[in-house]
């Protein structure tokens, strides 16, 4: 039987010379391909020794490090399910994720071990380890006692490889279940479509708790046997310093905006680069044009989701077509994208409507939410299964997709998804707040900024700084409103529903003048 384990496919992409450099960190530390193979083997052997059930979840709430990437690879090769968690998440958020996913193992940074281990043990987690970005922690200490050889566990294409939590409009996060087949099909498609080569060098400046950094960037380099210049976090000057040695860079629009602010960014510096990729949020056409003028390179915009990995992409090769700013390109090979009406009937080119997608990359469903899963899929007359993305878009005559809107409440700030219902629920519980509405407004740096409009209870005077400080202690920083505005009431329609479109229009110039 063919082994569809994703790690086996990634491992097959390693170069023959395993002692050559695979990853170089900002401190100058170099990891060889042999280090990746042996390090992930030791971690896989440790996980296997815990005698946890096949398919058990391993949750990681850690800072970015090469060892954290090795933990992910170890989970794949040992047949466990990787659960990456944003390291900005606070206790209330983690309590939900751990309670819902019921991981057998939690790995966290040492500074959070005290409160997070208590929370995990209360939720029935059997094993909690620490892992820090300086190559320390109990996970590595325990793994050092295990062998450097490990036989990759056989997995079927439909076996679960990872769960990525994505917020919903109700405020309740949903765990998107991605299989080995989902991830491998997308990695191979991008490998071919983006012309990955063994002599490519990727500047990896993205977090590894979401699709863009963990799957698109890491899988691309590993499958190609290409070197990575590893940055623990994005820092414009550090990226610019590495551009002459690199060929590929991936970022969210915010990163490109910040790089353009650096005087050192020149055409000469980018002479060796062959591909700049942008995603996770819409790229402003001004940024697209400014980048081309400044560097001589045209950014490749693409479209994907936690539930699907990558769906469409502007062409990489000139012979396949031009890269068109304001679009995310045509559907990737083997993937279907259609625009539909309110009856799920496909619309012709040029029409605007909900975006639905289909293909081997599309996830199987939401973890322990069969009813929600059923709601989000529809079958066409031929029996093909289509996923409702929640985005609104249109396809032109060439098949290029433009995303013109999103599900009614979603805010994308700096590449991160924020759903207002979650923030509103917390605001409404705070002293002096009668009700609230959270919206996204244009922001030159983040694309969109989170803004809250609150109505005070009778006789109360909510303090903006106090509300923001309280939220910062409870939720990830990117979710915290950049402004909290006090209003006498909220605009509503005849049905009593808050008209957020009016609020967005009213405050659209809050950060842009």
């Amino acid at each position: 039987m063919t082994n569809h384990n994703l790690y086996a496919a990634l491992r097959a992409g390693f170069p023959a010379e395993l002692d050559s450099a695979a990853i170089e960190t900002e401190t100058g530390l170099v990891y060889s391909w042999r280090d990746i193979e042996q390090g992930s083997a030791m971690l896989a052997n440790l996980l296997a020794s815990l005698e946890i059930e096949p398919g058990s979840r391993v949750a990681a709430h850690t800072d970015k490090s090469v060892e954290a990437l090795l933990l992910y690879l170890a989970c794949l090769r040992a047949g466990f399910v990787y659960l990456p968690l944003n390291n900005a998440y606070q206790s209330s958020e983690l309590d939900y994720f751990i309670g819902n996913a019921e991981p057998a193992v939690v790995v966290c940074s040492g500074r959070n071990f005290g409160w997070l281990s208590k929370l995990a043990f209360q939720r029935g987690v059997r094993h909690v380890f620490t892992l820090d970005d300086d190559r320390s922690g109990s996970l590595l200490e325990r793994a050092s006692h295990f062998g450097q050889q490990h036989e990759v566990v056989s997995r079927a294409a439909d076996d679960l490889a990872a769960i990525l939590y994505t917020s919903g409009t109700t405020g309740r996060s949903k765990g998107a279940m991605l299989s080995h087949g989902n991830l491998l099909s997308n990695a191979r498609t991008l490998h071919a479509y983006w012309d990955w080569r063994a002599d490519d060098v990727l500047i990896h400046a993205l977090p590894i708790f979401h699709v863009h950094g963990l799957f698109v960037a890491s899988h691309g380099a590993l499958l190609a046997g290409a070197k990575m210049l590893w940055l623990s976090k994005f820092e414009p000057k550090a990226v610019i310093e590495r551009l002459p040695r690199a060929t590929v860079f991936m970022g969210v629009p915010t990163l490109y905006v910040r790089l353009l602010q650096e005087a050192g960014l020149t055409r000469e510096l980018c002479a060796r680069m062959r591909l700049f990729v942008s995603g996770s949020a819409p790229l402003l056409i001004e940024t697209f044009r400014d980048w081309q003028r400044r560097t001589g390179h045209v950014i490749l915009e693409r479209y994907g989701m936690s539930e699907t990995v990558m769906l469409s992409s502007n062409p990489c090769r000139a012979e396949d077509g031009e890269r068109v700013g304001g679009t995310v390109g045509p559907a990737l090979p083997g993937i279907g994208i259609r625009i539909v009406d309110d009856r799920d009937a496909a619309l012709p080119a040029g029409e605007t409507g909900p975006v639905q997608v289909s293909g081997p990359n599309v996830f199987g469903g939401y973890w322990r939410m069969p009813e929600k899963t059923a709601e989000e899929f529809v079958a066409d007359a031929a029996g093909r299964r289509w996923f409702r993305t929640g985005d609104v878009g249109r396809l032109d005559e060439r098949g290029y997709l433009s995303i013109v809107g999103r599900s009614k409440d979603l805010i994308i700030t700096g590449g991160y998804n924020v759903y207002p219902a979650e923030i509103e629920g917390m605001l409404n519980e705070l002293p002096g707040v009668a009700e609230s509405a959270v919206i996204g407004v244009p922001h030159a740096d983040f694309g969109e900024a989170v803004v809250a409009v609150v109505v005070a209870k009778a006789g109360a005077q909510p303090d903006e700084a106090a509300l923001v400080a309280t939220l910062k202690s409870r939720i990830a920083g990117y979710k915290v409103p950049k402004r909290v505005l006090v209003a006498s009431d909220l605009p509503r329609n005849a049905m009593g529903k808050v008209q957020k479109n009016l609020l967005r229009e009213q405050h659209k110039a809050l950060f842009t003048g």
Side-chain angles (χ1 to χ4, degrees):
M1 185 178 99
T2 302
N3 186 1
H4 293 276
N5 190 306
L6 173 60
Y7 180 79
L10 297 176
R11 174 64 179 83
F14 290 12
E17 180 47 67
L18 290 179
D19 291 319
S20 60
I23 303 176
E24 179 185 320
T25 71
E26 65 255 74
T27 64
L29 190 64
V30 176
Y31 294 76
S32 68
W33 295 96
R34 193 181 306 279
D35 291 331
I36 295 176
E37 165 68 13
Q38 294 180 344
S40 62
M42 295 167 75
L43 289 166
N45 286 325
L46 166 59
L47 294 174
S49 76
L50 302 178
E51 299 183 352
I52 55 181
E53 293 292 324
S56 291
R57 278 72 61 205
V58 176
H61 182 254
T62 62
D63 295 325
K64 181 181 179 182
S65 67
V66 176
E67 285 70 29
L69 177 64
L70 297 185
L71 173 62
Y72 163 60
L73 298 177
C75 289
L76 292 178
R77 63 187 298 169
F80 299 118
V81 180
Y82 190 64
L83 176 63
L85 296 170
N86 189 329
N87 57 3
Y89 285 149
Q90 301 297 315
S91 59
S92 61
E93 297 161 306
L94 290 172
D95 185 54
Y96 170 74
F97 296 132
I98 292 174
N100 184 250
E102 295 184 335
V105 179
V106 169
V107 182
C108 66
S109 59
R111 68 179 181 278
N112 294 325
F113 179 76
W115 63 267
L116 186 46
S117 62
K118 181 179 179 181
L119 183 156
F121 291 138
Q122 289 173 341
R123 284 290 190 175
V125 177
R126 292 169 53 192
H127 307 280
V128 180
F129 297 98
T130 59
L131 175 62
D132 288 313
D133 59 5
D134 61 356
R135 308 177 79 193
S136 66
S138 61
L139 182 75
L140 300 182
E141 194 282 324
R142 285 282 300 277
S144 67
H145 300 287
F146 288 85
Q148 297 178 342
Q149 304 295 320
H150 175 269
E151 184 175 351
V152 178
V153 171
S154 182
R155 295 281 89 181
D158 290 339
D159 283 338
L160 197 55
I163 297 176
L164 270 70
Y165 275 92
T166 176
S167 297
T169 53
T170 62
R172 185 183 180 193
S173 294
K174 308 181 297 292
M177 299 186 292
L178 293 163
S179 70
H180 286 262
N182 292 150
L183 297 175
L184 180 54
S185 70
N186 210 241
R188 285 176 168 162
T189 296
L190 293 176
H191 176 82
Y193 196 77
W194 287 352
D195 283 341
W196 274 101
R197 307 188 305 253
D199 62 349
D200 272 324
V201 178
L202 168 71
I203 299 177
H204 197 307
L206 292 164
I208 56 171
F209 51 72
H210 63 32
V211 163
H212 200 168
L214 183 61
F215 300 150
V216 182
S218 300
H219 288 175
L222 293 171
L223 193 61
K227 183 178 179 179
M228 287 187 268
L229 303 179
W230 189 269
L231 298 175
S232 58
K233 62 181 179 179
F234 171 76
E235 204 287 314
K237 287 183 171 57
V239 171
I240 287 176
E241 180 184 334
R242 286 159 177 77
L243 284 173
R245 301 171 51 207
T247 63
V248 180
F249 175 77
M250 297 183 188
V252 301
T254 300
L255 306 194
Y256 287 100
V257 171
R258 293 183 178 175
L259 285 169
L260 282 167
Q261 295 170 352
E262 294 292 325
L265 180 67
T266 64
R267 286 181 177 238
E268 292 74 23
L269 210 66
C270 301
R272 187 169 180 260
M273 292 292 297
R274 72 169 188 86
L275 187 60
F276 288 97
V277 178
S278 179
S280 299
L283 182 74
L284 294 177
I285 193 66
E286 291 83 359
T287 305
F288 178 86
R289 292 168 179 164
D290 287 348
W291 190 268
Q292 186 173 6
R293 283 194 294 265
R294 184 84 165 271
T295 69
H297 289 270
V298 181
I299 294 173
L300 184 153
E301 295 176 77
R302 86 302 180 277
Y303 170 56
M305 305 177 68
S306 296
E307 292 94 336
T308 64
V309 201
M310 292 304 100
L311 294 160
S312 72
S313 169
N314 271 269
C316 179
R317 296 178 290 267
E319 57 267 31
D320 292 335
E322 64 178 325
R323 298 177 194 168
V324 180
T327 81
V328 290
L332 286 164
I335 294 171
I337 297 179
R338 67 180 188 174
I339 308 300
V340 300
D341 60 19
D342 56 5
R343 296 182 180 180
D344 295 316
L347 293 170
E351 294 291 321
T352 298
V355 180
Q356 295 183 354
V357 299
S358 181
N361 55 304
V362 177
F363 77 134
Y366 292 113
W367 175 258
R368 293 177 176 171
M369 290 186 176
E371 294 180 358
K372 184 63 178 174
T373 298
E375 289 175 10
E376 299 302 331
F377 284 91
V378 61
D380 61 19
R384 188 173 186 179
R385 192 168 177 251
W386 294 85
F387 172 60
R388 309 176 197 268
T389 66
D391 290 315
V392 176
R394 62 173 173 268
L395 290 166
D396 66 17
E397 289 74 11
R398 300 167 300 176
Y400 279 56
L401 174 67
S402 296
I403 302 297
V404 300
R406 297 191 300 274
S407 55
K408 57 186 177 181
D409 289 337
L410 177 64
I411 301 166
I412 301 181
T413 180
Y416 297 138
N417 289 357
V418 176
Y419 282 88
E422 179 185 14
I423 319 302
E424 290 162 357
M426 293 189 175
L427 277 170
N428 296 343
E429 294 176 356
L430 299 182
V433 177
E435 60 177 337
S436 64
V438 173
I439 57 173
V441 300
H443 191 285
D445 196 7
F446 296 100
E448 283 186 306
V450 181
V451 172
V453 181
V454 303
V455 175
K457 291 181 178 178
Q461 293 182 319
D463 177 76
E464 178 179 13
L467 294 176
V468 168
T470 301
L471 289 176
K472 283 184 176 178
S473 70
R474 298 184 181 182
I475 56 176
Y478 67 86
K479 298 180 184 178
V480 177
K482 298 199 176 301
R483 289 296 310 276
V484 177
L485 310 174
V486 180
S488 57
D489 56 21
L490 299 175
R492 299 179 186 275
N493 63 16
M495 299 298 291
K497 186 176 180 180
V498 175
Q499 295 178 292
K500 291 189 175 180
N501 59 319
L502 298 182
L503 288 175
R504 283 190 285 267
E505 179 66 23
Q506 180 182 350
H507 300 293
K508 65 181 181 181
L510 190 61
F511 298 100
T512 61

